[in-house]
Tab-separated table of all heavy atoms in Angstrom:
chain	number	residue	atom	x	y	z
A	10	TYR	N	7.693	10.670	2.750
A	10	TYR	CA	8.300	10.471	4.058
A	10	TYR	C	9.810	10.362	3.886
A	10	TYR	O	10.314	9.486	3.179
A	10	TYR	CB	7.794	9.198	4.729
A	10	TYR	CG	8.548	8.895	6.001
A	10	TYR	CD1	8.322	9.650	7.146
A	10	TYR	CD2	9.513	7.902	6.050
A	10	TYR	CE1	9.026	9.403	8.313
A	10	TYR	CE2	10.218	7.645	7.207
A	10	TYR	CZ	9.970	8.407	8.331
A	10	TYR	OH	10.666	8.162	9.483
A	11	VAL	N	10.515	11.281	4.510
A	11	VAL	CA	11.968	11.230	4.541
A	11	VAL	C	12.366	11.280	6.007
A	11	VAL	O	11.978	12.195	6.731
A	11	VAL	CB	12.597	12.408	3.771
A	11	VAL	CG1	14.102	12.336	3.830
A	11	VAL	CG2	12.120	12.411	2.331
A	12	ASP	N	13.118	10.289	6.454
A	12	ASP	CA	13.511	10.198	7.854
A	12	ASP	C	14.334	11.424	8.247
A	12	ASP	O	15.348	11.722	7.599
A	12	ASP	CB	14.321	8.927	8.072
A	12	ASP	CG	14.582	8.638	9.527
A	12	ASP	OD1	13.832	9.152	10.375
A	12	ASP	OD2	15.521	7.879	9.816
A	13	PRO	N	13.914	12.175	9.271
A	13	PRO	CA	14.637	13.392	9.655
A	13	PRO	C	16.065	13.119	10.137
A	13	PRO	O	16.958	13.936	9.916
A	13	PRO	CB	13.793	13.988	10.777
A	13	PRO	CG	12.736	13.024	11.095
A	13	PRO	CD	12.715	11.966	10.055
A	14	ARG	N	16.293	11.957	10.761
A	14	ARG	CA	17.650	11.635	11.206
A	14	ARG	C	18.572	11.390	10.014
A	14	ARG	O	19.759	11.720	10.057
A	14	ARG	CB	17.635	10.422	12.116
A	14	ARG	CG	17.005	10.724	13.465
A	14	ARG	CD	16.919	9.483	14.291
A	14	ARG	NE	15.873	8.643	13.682
A	14	ARG	CZ	15.526	7.459	14.097
A	14	ARG	NH1	16.135	6.920	15.110
A	14	ARG	NH2	14.566	6.787	13.516
A	15	LEU	N	18.025	10.839	8.940
A	15	LEU	CA	18.809	10.602	7.734
A	15	LEU	C	19.162	11.919	7.058
A	15	LEU	O	20.291	12.109	6.605
A	15	LEU	CB	18.030	9.692	6.782
A	15	LEU	CG	18.735	9.231	5.530
A	15	LEU	CD1	20.001	8.471	5.885
A	15	LEU	CD2	17.813	8.355	4.718
A	16	MET	N	18.221	12.840	7.014
A	16	MET	CA	18.490	14.156	6.424
A	16	MET	C	19.523	14.921	7.255
A	16	MET	O	20.343	15.651	6.714
A	16	MET	CB	17.202	14.967	6.301
A	16	MET	CG	16.246	14.442	5.265
A	16	MET	SD	16.947	14.330	3.603
A	16	MET	CE	17.100	16.048	3.213
A	17	LYS	N	19.486	14.730	8.561
A	17	LYS	CA	20.446	15.400	9.439
A	17	LYS	C	21.863	14.871	9.185
A	17	LYS	O	22.833	15.620	9.276
A	17	LYS	CB	20.048	15.177	10.894
A	17	LYS	CG	20.751	16.051	11.868
A	17	LYS	CD	20.157	15.899	13.254
A	17	LYS	CE	20.832	16.846	14.220
A	17	LYS	NZ	20.270	16.757	15.555
A	18	LYS	N	21.985	13.576	8.845
A	18	LYS	CA	23.294	12.990	8.580
A	18	LYS	C	23.938	13.566	7.315
A	18	LYS	O	25.154	13.687	7.251
A	18	LYS	CB	23.188	11.469	8.436
A	18	LYS	CG	22.973	10.739	9.729
A	18	LYS	CD	22.931	9.240	9.481
A	18	LYS	CE	22.704	8.471	10.756
A	18	LYS	NZ	22.697	7.011	10.515
A	19	ILE	N	23.127	13.888	6.293
A	19	ILE	CA	23.703	14.387	5.048
A	19	ILE	C	23.827	15.905	5.024
A	19	ILE	O	24.457	16.447	4.129
A	19	ILE	CB	22.902	13.916	3.820
A	19	ILE	CG1	21.506	14.501	3.793
A	19	ILE	CG2	22.868	12.422	3.746
A	19	ILE	CD1	20.794	14.269	2.486
A	20	GLU	N	23.257	16.574	6.029
A	20	GLU	CA	23.323	18.020	6.106
A	20	GLU	C	24.778	18.474	6.250
A	20	GLU	O	25.503	18.002	7.102
A	20	GLU	CB	22.529	18.496	7.323
A	20	GLU	CG	21.656	19.677	7.085
A	20	GLU	CD	20.784	19.943	8.286
A	20	GLU	OE1	21.323	20.272	9.353
A	20	GLU	OE2	19.561	19.779	8.154
A	21	GLY	N	25.192	19.390	5.408
A	21	GLY	CA	26.533	19.941	5.500
A	21	GLY	C	27.621	19.096	4.874
A	21	GLY	O	28.776	19.474	4.890
A	22	LYS	N	27.287	17.933	4.330
A	22	LYS	CA	28.277	17.081	3.672
A	22	LYS	C	28.196	17.281	2.166
A	22	LYS	O	27.153	17.618	1.625
A	22	LYS	CB	28.039	15.608	3.995
A	22	LYS	CG	28.361	15.228	5.408
A	22	LYS	CD	28.277	13.728	5.569
A	22	LYS	CE	28.632	13.324	6.977
A	22	LYS	NZ	28.568	11.866	7.138
A	23	LYS	N	29.307	17.020	1.509
A	23	LYS	CA	29.341	17.070	0.061
A	23	LYS	C	29.202	15.658	-0.492
A	23	LYS	O	29.735	14.708	0.095
A	23	LYS	CB	30.660	17.677	-0.420
A	23	LYS	CG	30.803	19.129	-0.071
A	23	LYS	CD	32.075	19.680	-0.629
A	23	LYS	CE	32.216	21.139	-0.249
A	23	LYS	NZ	33.464	21.694	-0.755
A	24	PRO	N	28.491	15.502	-1.608
A	24	PRO	CA	28.339	14.158	-2.182
A	24	PRO	C	29.683	13.541	-2.552
A	24	PRO	O	30.538	14.193	-3.142
A	24	PRO	CB	27.499	14.390	-3.441
A	24	PRO	CG	26.812	15.681	-3.199
A	24	PRO	CD	27.731	16.489	-2.341
A	25	GLY	N	29.880	12.298	-2.164
A	25	GLY	CA	31.093	11.571	-2.498
A	25	GLY	C	32.287	11.928	-1.639
A	25	GLY	O	33.397	11.489	-1.913
A	26	SER	N	32.092	12.733	-0.587
A	26	SER	CA	33.223	13.190	0.215
A	26	SER	C	33.774	12.110	1.133
A	26	SER	O	34.973	11.961	1.280
A	26	SER	CB	32.825	14.414	1.042
A	26	SER	OG	31.778	14.091	1.923
A	27	ALA	N	32.918	11.375	1.777
A	27	ALA	CA	33.364	10.354	2.727
A	27	ALA	C	32.794	9.001	2.323
A	27	ALA	O	32.234	8.846	1.242
A	27	ALA	CB	32.890	10.729	4.129
A	28	GLY	N	32.902	8.044	3.204
A	28	GLY	CA	32.370	6.710	2.948
A	28	GLY	C	30.853	6.712	2.965
A	28	GLY	O	30.208	7.750	3.068
A	29	PRO	N	30.274	5.525	2.868
A	29	PRO	CA	28.809	5.437	2.852
A	29	PRO	C	28.190	5.842	4.189
A	29	PRO	O	28.791	5.703	5.240
A	29	PRO	CB	28.537	3.966	2.553
A	29	PRO	CG	29.785	3.257	2.891
A	29	PRO	CD	30.902	4.221	2.726
A	30	ILE	N	26.975	6.333	4.125
A	30	ILE	CA	26.220	6.742	5.303
A	30	ILE	C	25.342	5.567	5.707
A	30	ILE	O	24.490	5.130	4.931
A	30	ILE	CB	25.363	7.986	4.993
A	30	ILE	CG1	26.255	9.141	4.588
A	30	ILE	CG2	24.497	8.350	6.176
A	30	ILE	CD1	25.513	10.323	4.015
A	31	LYS	N	25.554	5.040	6.914
A	31	LYS	CA	24.787	3.888	7.378
A	31	LYS	C	23.387	4.315	7.787
A	31	LYS	O	23.209	5.334	8.448
A	31	LYS	CB	25.470	3.222	8.565
A	31	LYS	CG	26.654	2.389	8.201
A	31	LYS	CD	27.121	1.602	9.390
A	31	LYS	CE	28.198	0.630	8.987
A	31	LYS	NZ	28.608	-0.196	10.131
A	32	THR	N	22.406	3.510	7.386
A	32	THR	CA	21.028	3.795	7.752
A	32	THR	C	20.224	2.516	7.878
A	32	THR	O	20.506	1.520	7.211
A	32	THR	CB	20.362	4.742	6.739
A	32	THR	OG1	19.051	5.038	7.186
A	32	THR	CG2	20.290	4.143	5.362
A	33	TRP	N	19.243	2.567	8.755
A	33	TRP	CA	18.284	1.483	8.930
A	33	TRP	C	16.913	1.930	8.440
A	33	TRP	O	15.962	1.182	8.515
A	33	TRP	CB	18.197	1.077	10.403
A	33	TRP	CG	19.373	0.316	10.892
A	33	TRP	CD1	19.450	-1.041	11.030
A	33	TRP	CD2	20.632	0.814	11.311
A	33	TRP	NE1	20.681	-1.402	11.504
A	33	TRP	CE2	21.431	-0.266	11.690
A	33	TRP	CE3	21.182	2.098	11.395
A	33	TRP	CZ2	22.733	-0.121	12.147
A	33	TRP	CZ3	22.475	2.239	11.854
A	33	TRP	CH2	23.224	1.136	12.227
A	34	ALA	N	16.798	3.151	7.925
A	34	ALA	CA	15.526	3.745	7.513
A	34	ALA	C	15.183	3.312	6.091
A	34	ALA	O	15.362	4.066	5.137
A	34	ALA	CB	15.594	5.263	7.609
A	35	ARG	N	14.666	2.115	5.948
A	35	ARG	CA	14.339	1.602	4.620
A	35	ARG	C	13.029	2.167	4.087
A	35	ARG	O	12.783	2.140	2.884
A	35	ARG	CB	14.264	0.081	4.655
A	35	ARG	CG	15.616	-0.549	4.868
A	35	ARG	CD	15.541	-2.037	5.012
A	35	ARG	NE	14.718	-2.642	3.971
A	35	ARG	CZ	14.089	-3.799	4.104
A	35	ARG	NH1	14.181	-4.471	5.210
A	35	ARG	NH2	13.370	-4.281	3.133
A	36	ALA	N	12.167	2.698	4.949
A	36	ALA	CA	10.886	3.231	4.511
A	36	ALA	C	11.004	4.665	4.002
A	36	ALA	O	10.041	5.225	3.501
A	36	ALA	CB	9.880	3.185	5.653
A	37	SER	N	12.169	5.243	4.109
A	37	SER	CA	12.379	6.628	3.703
A	37	SER	C	12.455	6.737	2.180
A	37	SER	O	13.081	5.916	1.515
A	37	SER	CB	13.676	7.143	4.317
A	37	SER	OG	13.904	8.468	3.951
A	38	GLN	N	11.817	7.772	1.638
A	38	GLN	CA	11.918	8.019	0.210
A	38	GLN	C	13.177	8.813	-0.078
A	38	GLN	O	13.710	9.502	0.792
A	38	GLN	CB	10.709	8.790	-0.298
A	38	GLN	CG	9.477	7.936	-0.409
A	38	GLN	CD	8.345	8.672	-1.085
A	38	GLN	OE1	8.310	9.892	-1.127
A	38	GLN	NE2	7.403	7.932	-1.598
A	39	ILE	N	13.649	8.741	-1.307
A	39	ILE	CA	14.873	9.430	-1.687
A	39	ILE	C	14.531	10.846	-2.113
A	39	ILE	O	13.736	11.063	-3.024
A	39	ILE	CB	15.587	8.661	-2.809
A	39	ILE	CG1	15.995	7.290	-2.289
A	39	ILE	CG2	16.792	9.434	-3.296
A	39	ILE	CD1	16.610	6.393	-3.309
A	40	ALA	N	15.147	11.810	-1.438
A	40	ALA	CA	14.932	13.225	-1.710
A	40	ALA	C	15.999	13.718	-2.698
A	40	ALA	O	17.064	13.118	-2.831
A	40	ALA	CB	15.016	14.025	-0.412
A	41	PRO	N	15.737	14.823	-3.386
A	41	PRO	CA	16.731	15.359	-4.320
A	41	PRO	C	18.058	15.731	-3.657
A	41	PRO	O	19.099	15.729	-4.312
A	41	PRO	CB	16.050	16.606	-4.882
A	41	PRO	CG	14.599	16.367	-4.705
A	41	PRO	CD	14.471	15.532	-3.476
A	42	GLU	N	18.043	16.030	-2.370
A	42	GLU	CA	19.278	16.380	-1.661
A	42	GLU	C	20.206	15.192	-1.493
A	42	GLU	O	21.388	15.355	-1.183
A	42	GLU	CB	18.954	16.951	-0.274
A	42	GLU	CG	18.204	18.257	-0.301
A	42	GLU	CD	16.696	18.059	-0.412
A	42	GLU	OE1	16.217	16.923	-0.223
A	42	GLU	OE2	16.010	19.045	-0.705
A	43	MET	N	19.703	13.977	-1.690
A	43	MET	CA	20.480	12.761	-1.487
A	43	MET	C	21.250	12.318	-2.726
A	43	MET	O	22.030	11.369	-2.649
A	43	MET	CB	19.562	11.621	-1.053
A	43	MET	CG	18.879	11.846	0.252
A	43	MET	SD	17.797	10.456	0.610
A	43	MET	CE	17.055	10.993	2.127
A	44	VAL	N	21.052	12.973	-3.855
A	44	VAL	CA	21.697	12.574	-5.109
A	44	VAL	C	23.210	12.732	-4.968
A	44	VAL	O	23.702	13.765	-4.520
A	44	VAL	CB	21.170	13.404	-6.291
A	44	VAL	CG1	21.962	13.127	-7.557
A	44	VAL	CG2	19.702	13.123	-6.510
A	45	GLY	N	23.936	11.698	-5.322
A	45	GLY	CA	25.387	11.710	-5.271
A	45	GLY	C	25.972	11.066	-4.033
A	45	GLY	O	27.178	10.834	-3.968
A	46	PHE	N	25.151	10.768	-3.033
A	46	PHE	CA	25.622	10.130	-1.814
A	46	PHE	C	25.531	8.614	-1.945
A	46	PHE	O	24.724	8.086	-2.703
A	46	PHE	CB	24.782	10.562	-0.609
A	46	PHE	CG	25.069	11.952	-0.142
A	46	PHE	CD1	24.256	13.008	-0.524
A	46	PHE	CD2	26.148	12.209	0.681
A	46	PHE	CE1	24.513	14.289	-0.091
A	46	PHE	CE2	26.411	13.489	1.119
A	46	PHE	CZ	25.598	14.536	0.734
A	47	THR	N	26.363	7.926	-1.181
A	47	THR	CA	26.296	6.478	-1.087
A	47	THR	C	25.777	6.127	0.300
A	47	THR	O	26.294	6.613	1.301
A	47	THR	CB	27.682	5.841	-1.285
A	47	THR	OG1	28.178	6.249	-2.563
A	47	THR	CG2	27.603	4.328	-1.223
A	48	PHE	N	24.737	5.316	0.343
A	48	PHE	CA	24.125	4.902	1.602
A	48	PHE	C	24.359	3.415	1.799
A	48	PHE	O	24.269	2.632	0.854
A	48	PHE	CB	22.616	5.183	1.589
A	48	PHE	CG	22.285	6.638	1.578
A	48	PHE	CD1	22.030	7.295	0.387
A	48	PHE	CD2	22.221	7.345	2.757
A	48	PHE	CE1	21.726	8.636	0.372
A	48	PHE	CE2	21.915	8.691	2.761
A	48	PHE	CZ	21.666	9.336	1.568
A	49	ALA	N	24.637	3.033	3.026
A	49	ALA	CA	24.731	1.630	3.401
A	49	ALA	C	23.413	1.289	4.085
A	49	ALA	O	23.187	1.642	5.232
A	49	ALA	CB	25.907	1.395	4.332
A	50	VAL	N	22.521	0.637	3.362
A	50	VAL	CA	21.169	0.348	3.838
A	50	VAL	C	21.137	-1.055	4.430
A	50	VAL	O	21.522	-2.021	3.775
A	50	VAL	CB	20.147	0.472	2.684
A	50	VAL	CG1	18.740	0.235	3.200
A	50	VAL	CG2	20.245	1.831	2.022
A	51	HIS	N	20.669	-1.163	5.669
A	51	HIS	CA	20.613	-2.447	6.357
A	51	HIS	C	19.363	-3.211	5.922
A	51	HIS	O	18.264	-2.672	5.937
A	51	HIS	CB	20.587	-2.224	7.874
A	51	HIS	CG	20.908	-3.445	8.647
A	51	HIS	ND1	19.943	-4.231	9.213
A	51	HIS	CD2	22.094	-4.025	8.949
A	51	HIS	CE1	20.525	-5.240	9.838
A	51	HIS	NE2	21.821	-5.134	9.693
A	52	ASN	N	19.533	-4.456	5.519
A	52	ASN	CA	18.397	-5.251	5.064
A	52	ASN	C	17.962	-6.289	6.098
A	52	ASN	O	17.196	-7.179	5.793
A	52	ASN	CB	18.716	-5.939	3.732
A	52	ASN	CG	19.740	-7.024	3.856
A	52	ASN	OD1	20.318	-7.243	4.911
A	52	ASN	ND2	19.999	-7.713	2.759
A	53	GLY	N	18.475	-6.187	7.324
A	53	GLY	CA	18.153	-7.140	8.365
A	53	GLY	C	19.297	-8.076	8.657
A	53	GLY	O	19.336	-8.710	9.708
A	54	LYS	N	20.224	-8.187	7.727
A	54	LYS	CA	21.364	-9.077	7.907
A	54	LYS	C	22.682	-8.343	7.642
A	54	LYS	O	23.603	-8.418	8.437
A	54	LYS	CB	21.226	-10.277	6.979
A	54	LYS	CG	22.252	-11.346	7.199
A	54	LYS	CD	21.961	-12.568	6.354
A	54	LYS	CE	22.976	-13.653	6.636
A	54	LYS	NZ	22.718	-14.838	5.814
A	55	VAL	N	22.772	-7.660	6.516
A	55	VAL	CA	23.997	-6.953	6.129
A	55	VAL	C	23.645	-5.566	5.602
A	55	VAL	O	22.480	-5.269	5.320
A	55	VAL	CB	24.780	-7.732	5.043
A	55	VAL	CG1	25.283	-9.046	5.553
A	55	VAL	CG2	23.948	-7.910	3.801
A	56	PHE	N	24.667	-4.731	5.457
A	56	PHE	CA	24.489	-3.415	4.854
A	56	PHE	C	24.800	-3.502	3.365
A	56	PHE	O	25.856	-4.003	2.969
A	56	PHE	CB	25.431	-2.389	5.504
A	56	PHE	CG	25.000	-1.959	6.867
A	56	PHE	CD1	25.511	-2.563	7.988
A	56	PHE	CD2	24.079	-0.948	7.028
A	56	PHE	CE1	25.124	-2.169	9.257
A	56	PHE	CE2	23.673	-0.539	8.279
A	56	PHE	CZ	24.193	-1.153	9.401
A	57	ASN	N	23.875	-3.026	2.529
A	57	ASN	CA	24.076	-2.990	1.087
A	57	ASN	C	24.321	-1.548	0.675
A	57	ASN	O	23.572	-0.651	1.048
A	57	ASN	CB	22.845	-3.524	0.346
A	57	ASN	CG	22.612	-4.979	0.626
A	57	ASN	OD1	23.556	-5.748	0.704
A	57	ASN	ND2	21.370	-5.369	0.777
A	58	ASP	N	25.373	-1.328	-0.111
A	58	ASP	CA	25.691	0.016	-0.579
A	58	ASP	C	24.783	0.388	-1.745
A	58	ASP	O	24.598	-0.388	-2.685
A	58	ASP	CB	27.142	0.107	-1.023
A	58	ASP	CG	28.108	0.095	0.148
A	58	ASP	OD1	27.653	0.297	1.286
A	58	ASP	OD2	29.307	-0.108	-0.087
A	59	VAL	N	24.218	1.599	-1.656
A	59	VAL	CA	23.344	2.121	-2.706
A	59	VAL	C	23.846	3.507	-3.068
A	59	VAL	O	23.881	4.402	-2.222
A	59	VAL	CB	21.878	2.218	-2.222
A	59	VAL	CG1	20.999	2.834	-3.292
A	59	VAL	CG2	21.355	0.866	-1.818
A	60	PHE	N	24.269	3.685	-4.323
A	60	PHE	CA	24.669	5.003	-4.811
A	60	PHE	C	23.441	5.662	-5.420
A	60	PHE	O	22.819	5.100	-6.322
A	60	PHE	CB	25.792	4.891	-5.849
A	60	PHE	CG	26.209	6.221	-6.388
A	60	PHE	CD1	26.963	7.079	-5.606
A	60	PHE	CD2	25.836	6.617	-7.664
A	60	PHE	CE1	27.346	8.318	-6.096
A	60	PHE	CE2	26.214	7.845	-8.151
A	60	PHE	CZ	26.969	8.701	-7.368
A	61	VAL	N	23.080	6.831	-4.935
A	61	VAL	CA	21.842	7.494	-5.359
A	61	VAL	C	22.112	8.334	-6.598
A	61	VAL	O	22.952	9.227	-6.579
A	61	VAL	CB	21.273	8.367	-4.218
A	61	VAL	CG1	20.030	9.077	-4.675
A	61	VAL	CG2	20.986	7.523	-3.002
A	62	LYS	N	21.380	8.020	-7.662
A	62	LYS	CA	21.450	8.770	-8.919
A	62	LYS	C	20.199	9.629	-9.047
A	62	LYS	O	19.252	9.496	-8.280
A	62	LYS	CB	21.522	7.807	-10.098
A	62	LYS	CG	22.719	6.907	-10.083
A	62	LYS	CD	22.675	5.961	-11.250
A	62	LYS	CE	23.783	4.951	-11.161
A	62	LYS	NZ	23.702	3.964	-12.229
A	63	HIS	N	20.193	10.485	-10.032
A	63	HIS	CA	19.047	11.379	-10.244
A	63	HIS	C	17.776	10.594	-10.563
A	63	HIS	O	16.670	11.025	-10.230
A	63	HIS	CB	19.362	12.367	-11.364
A	63	HIS	CG	18.260	13.345	-11.604
A	63	HIS	ND1	17.917	14.303	-10.676
A	63	HIS	CD2	17.410	13.505	-12.634
A	63	HIS	CE1	16.906	15.009	-11.130
A	63	HIS	NE2	16.579	14.546	-12.320
A	64	ASP	N	17.910	9.424	-11.169
A	64	ASP	CA	16.759	8.599	-11.540
A	64	ASP	C	16.049	7.997	-10.325
A	64	ASP	O	14.902	7.569	-10.423
A	64	ASP	CB	17.170	7.457	-12.463
A	64	ASP	CG	17.739	7.957	-13.772
A	64	ASP	OD1	17.420	9.098	-14.151
A	64	ASP	OD2	18.484	7.201	-14.393
A	65	PHE	N	16.711	7.943	-9.163
A	65	PHE	CA	16.170	7.310	-7.976
A	65	PHE	C	15.276	8.227	-7.146
A	65	PHE	O	14.657	7.763	-6.190
A	65	PHE	CB	17.274	6.812	-7.066
A	65	PHE	CG	18.143	5.729	-7.653
A	65	PHE	CD1	19.301	5.342	-7.012
A	65	PHE	CD2	17.836	5.109	-8.846
A	65	PHE	CE1	20.108	4.362	-7.526
A	65	PHE	CE2	18.627	4.127	-9.378
A	65	PHE	CZ	19.772	3.746	-8.723
A	66	VAL	N	15.213	9.511	-7.470
A	66	VAL	CA	14.467	10.474	-6.652
A	66	VAL	C	13.006	10.071	-6.576
A	66	VAL	O	12.397	9.680	-7.575
A	66	VAL	CB	14.617	11.901	-7.226
A	66	VAL	CG1	13.731	12.884	-6.485
A	66	VAL	CG2	16.058	12.344	-7.147
A	67	SER	N	12.435	10.120	-5.391
A	67	SER	CA	11.051	9.779	-5.026
A	67	SER	C	10.792	8.267	-4.997
A	67	SER	O	9.651	7.850	-4.918
A	67	SER	CB	10.017	10.467	-5.902
A	67	SER	OG	9.906	9.847	-7.154
A	68	HIS	N	11.824	7.450	-5.021
A	68	HIS	CA	11.663	6.008	-4.843
A	68	HIS	C	11.965	5.651	-3.403
A	68	HIS	O	12.584	6.409	-2.670
A	68	HIS	CB	12.590	5.225	-5.768
A	68	HIS	CG	12.113	5.182	-7.164
A	68	HIS	ND1	12.288	6.238	-8.041
A	68	HIS	CD2	11.460	4.239	-7.856
A	68	HIS	CE1	11.758	5.928	-9.215
A	68	HIS	NE2	11.242	4.714	-9.128
A	69	ILE	N	11.573	4.466	-3.004
A	69	ILE	CA	11.831	3.972	-1.663
A	69	ILE	C	13.011	3.019	-1.730
A	69	ILE	O	13.155	2.278	-2.694
A	69	ILE	CB	10.583	3.272	-1.087
A	69	ILE	CG1	9.431	4.274	-1.015
A	69	ILE	CG2	10.854	2.687	0.275
A	69	ILE	CD1	8.123	3.677	-0.594
Side-chain angles (χ1 to χ4, degrees):
Y10 173 74
V11 180
D12 189 22
R14 290 176 289 178
L15 185 59
M16 290 303 290
K17 193 172 183 179
K18 286 182 181 181
I19 66 169
E20 224 172 65
K22 289 188 179 181
K23 293 183 181 179
S26 61
I30 299 169
K31 284 189 173 183
T32 183
W33 287 261
R35 291 176 48 206
S37 180
Q38 285 188 338
I39 297 176
E42 295 86 13
M43 297 178 183
V44 172
F46 286 98
T47 302
F48 293 95
V50 183
H51 196 261
N52 69 355
K54 187 174 182 181
V55 295
F56 285 95
N57 295 321
D58 287 345
V59 177
F60 179 74
V61 178
K62 299 178 186 176
H63 182 67
D64 298 336
F65 296 170
V66 174
S67 77
H68 283 80
I69 299 174

